[in-house]
Amino acid sequence: MSGYFDSISPLTFDPDSEGLAFRHYDPDQMVMGKRMEDQLRFAVAYWHSFGWEGGDPFGGRTFERPWFPADTMELAIMRADAAFDFFRILGVPFFCFHDHDVRPEGDSLAVSRDRLNRIADIFAEKMANGGPRLLWGTANLFTNRRYMAGAATNPDPDVFAYAAATVRDCLEVTHRLDGENYVLWGGREGYETLLNTDPGQELDHMGRFLSLVVEHKHKIGFKGAILLEPKPQEPTKHQYDYDVATVYGFLKRYGLENEVKLNIEQGHAILAGHSFEHELAMANALGIFGSVDMNRNDYQSGWDTDQFPNNVPEIALAYYEILKAGGFASGGTNFDARLRRQSLDPVDLVAAHAGAMDVCARGLKVAAAMLEDDKLEAARRARYAGWQRPEAQAMLGAGSSLESIADKAMAQGLDPQPVSGRQEILENLVNRYV
Ligand code: XLS
Ligand code: NI
Ligand code: NI
């Protein structure tokens, strides 16, 4: 017990509450054949909630937490105590962490690994005593200055090797803690200027690195999924893992499309000029949907603001795509989100997550209702109905050619007539559920 959250009791589902409670998130409510908790699979992100100090480019720490700056193991343990107290207040089933969030880095790889293992022992005990499970672990390959020019894509092979050692250790700790996934977000895998960069070589290094990680996963018997997290910009101007489609091309090129899935973040989708649901639908279409980071960006500011979700219609469309993909398998809903820097108090952190969980619960219920009613899907099926005809199917089959299709079209004197896409009618339909 850290004492930090002592003034706050565990939250319950209480729609009539005037205080801190869930008004929509009822873990036991059944939604499309599963408990809501098992559909949403919420996770708290250790870094934003227990590591981030409230700084921005114009000013430093605004939050006063007793474990800051967490540069000793004693403080790291105090932070772990507070984190697990917090998880219990929310009743979340999962959490996520980077090595860098949970232990101070040592002055050698060996010391860093030893510290990570010591914290993992503490986590294991807390997890066994009713704490949440691990949705995913990951390595921070972007904060230390050694990574300023990338990790796997660094021009210095020693940095590649250092990153390999770091990921080996994090993957093994994730495995030991029964993590359901292991995430690689491409931190500084990208570049600032072509004048000093060989992108072809860097992509090959990144492909090799990922293959090594996948190989090691199998070697140690880790059953979780390896997830890549696309992001188009920030911190480097040109991030290689731009968006879902780009990452799919990368995976294909290095033969990893059946080994790796994606962790899709709403804010990153927005930065890429896409909607969240676009990225989710693309991942589902390409067979690489894995998990989500449920944090939005500001639509105007153009950087990764990591805000808690608060827009139900948006989140409903996201869960609609997730449910269409069959729901989460190993993935879940991770709040890779942080408070605004003026939100100083423990209660702010609790309320931010409670509100976000309610927004997701509402979104999920809306999505399930739309899917169960089948009106949207019926309209979509009707739109593609022509493809049910045998002649249409034949065009897609092996026996057809451009010539045979063309000759037939000419012989039939085809003159296709446009049909309404019914966008506004469909938007109105969605609005009836929200
Ligand atoms: C940064 C990413 C990061 C990953 C984990 O923008 O969202 O937080 O989720 O490394
Ligand atoms: Ni993220
Ligand atoms: Ni992000």
Side-chain angles (χ1 to χ4, degrees), residues 229 231 265 268 295 304 306 336:
E229 184 175 323
K231 182 173 183 179
E265 178 166 313
H268 299 178
N295 43 288
D304 199 7
D306 287 330
D336 188 357

Side-chain angles (χ1 to χ4, degrees), residues 47-48 98 136 183 185 229-231 263-266 268 292-295 304 306 334-337:
W47 52 103
H48 285 316
H98 303 78
W136 46 265
V183 164
W185 164 57
E229 184 175 323
K231 182 173 183 179
N263 182 41
I264 300 171
E265 178 166 313
Q266 182 185 19
H268 299 178
V292 297
D293 275 3
M294 187 57 92
N295 43 288
D304 199 7
D306 287 330
N334 173 44
F335 296 115
D336 188 357

Side-chain angles (χ1 to χ4, degrees), residues 105-114 146 162:
E105 186 160 334
D107 52 14
S108 71
L109 278 166
V111 174
S112 293
R113 171 162 64 174
D114 177 59
R146 80 174 66 85
Y162 198 103

Side-chain angles (χ1 to χ4, degrees), residues 234-250:
E234 200 203 80
T236 73
K237 163 100 176 99
H238 302 278
Q239 295 280 123
Y240 292 129
D241 291 337
Y242 195 94
D243 61 1
V244 169
T246 308
V247 172
Y248 182 72
F250 167 79

